[in-house]
Amino acid sequence: MADFISLPEVNSTSTWLKERAADFDGPVVVSTDCQTGGRGQRGNSWEAEPGRNLTFSILFIPKGIAPARQFFISEAVCLAVVDVLRRHLPQPDEVRVKWPNDVYVGDRKICGILIEHSLESATAIRHTIAGIGVNVNQERFLSDAPNPVSIRNITGEETPLKPLLEELVSAVFANLGEPAESLHARYLATLWRGEGEHPFATPDGKTFTASIADIDPSGVLTLRRTDGSENRYLFKQVRFIL
């Protein structure tokens, strides 16, 4: 499936892999007990107490996936995390994907995912690096992140990290082999705030209420406002208001 490399400490597992991608001819997973410069979406940092969480990145070569269809990879990785966490948490239906690729339990964030592609050409992806941070055994969060939660916060119990890592990686590669149509249907069915109207904001500070009308296979979000009008948004063009 993939080779595993464990580093005692590194700035970022994704950066480490990016700098050495040419050295690998197959999939590889790099994990660390202490990630000092983990990155999240929108340029945010990722808080992870050393030795208490999963911080890892997967490098692989997606076969037969054109750059225009790269959102399939985000769906595969997100749903792998959802599938695994649902097996470990007492209320599995509360584990959801927050568009485009965070994982929430209720209204709290348990996993952040950052996916980066290197293109061979306009029609081919050279390789993909999926950076994944899962809050596992951390009990207190000290950053200003508004809504973190861990498996331990929910269950009150310690979760062994290595078996969970192996389970997550196995689920990612299983999902990458799933037909695109069924994976996309599962993604839509698993959306956080996928039903009803909710508050949103645009980068200029304007707020509005809307429901999720659709997410197309390229990852573009369509929101339907209260007046019935619909607008399409790329990532960073709109955000959920917590």
Side-chain angles (χ1 to χ4, degrees):
M1 180 179 59
D3 293 328
F4 284 74
I5 298 172
S6 179
L7 304 174
E9 181 176 325
V10 70
N11 177 266
S12 161
T13 54
S14 288
T15 300
W16 191 94
L17 272 175
K18 189 185 301 184
E19 293 171 348
R20 296 163 177 80
D23 298 339
F24 302 105
D25 56 9
V28 61
V29 179
V30 174
S31 62
T32 184
D33 286 336
C34 181
Q35 184 169 250
T36 58
R39 296 173 293 132
Q41 300 286 5
R42 304 180 188 272
N44 296 327
S45 61
W46 180 257
E47 178 189 0
E49 182 181 347
R52 304 290 290 163
N53 303 291
L54 285 180
T55 48
F56 66 101
S57 296
I58 308 172
L59 181 147
F60 56 93
I61 300 171
K63 297 179 180 179
I65 302 174
R69 304 287 291 183
Q70 61 186 247
F71 192 67
F72 168 84
I73 299 170
S74 291
E75 292 177 324
V77 175
C78 290
L79 287 173
V81 176
V82 169
D83 293 343
V84 170
L85 290 182
R86 284 183 168 182
R87 294 197 287 266
H88 287 266
L89 295 175
Q91 295 179 300
D93 287 346
E94 290 194 0
V95 185
R96 299 269 171 173
V97 178
K98 175 178 171 286
W99 176 85
N101 52 7
D102 286 334
V103 178
Y104 272 40
V105 181
D107 288 333
R108 303 181 74 182
K109 182 174 177 177
I110 198 168
C111 175
I113 298 167
L114 181 63
I115 296 178
E116 300 171 284
H117 306 282
S118 174
L119 300 185
E120 187 76 44
S121 66
T123 59
I125 298 173
R126 178 182 291 112
H127 65 254
T128 293
I129 296 175
I132 304 169
V134 184
N135 299 329
V136 183
N137 294 318
Q138 187 162 339
E139 296 182 75
R140 295 178 62 237
F141 294 87
L142 304 178
S143 74
D144 58 359
N147 59 339
V149 71
S150 70
I151 295 176
R152 183 175 176 84
N153 288 153
I154 297 169
T155 65
E157 299 177 353
E158 290 276 316
T159 298
L161 295 179
K162 185 178 179 182
L164 183 63
L165 172 63
E166 294 172 349
E167 191 177 357
L168 286 164
V169 172
S170 178
V172 169
F173 284 101
N175 280 354
L176 288 170
E178 185 173 337
E181 294 78 9
S182 64
L183 191 76
H184 185 59
R186 285 209 293 130
Y187 181 88
L188 293 176
T190 312
L191 281 174
W192 179 73
R193 293 187 177 178
E195 299 177 352
E197 293 190 336
H198 302 278
F200 294 85
T202 52
D204 59 6
K206 294 180 180 177
T207 62
F208 61 95
T209 299
S211 59
I212 297 176
D214 189 28
I215 297 174
D216 71 25
S218 68
V220 177
L221 171 70
T222 299
L223 294 179
R224 182 180 296 118
R225 302 198 183 203
T226 303
D227 63 7
S229 62
E230 293 186 355
N231 297 94
R232 288 163 53 85
Y233 298 93
L234 298 172
F235 178 57
K236 295 187 179 181
Q237 291 182 336
V238 71
R239 64 177 177 84
F240 293 89
I241 297 176
L242 293 173

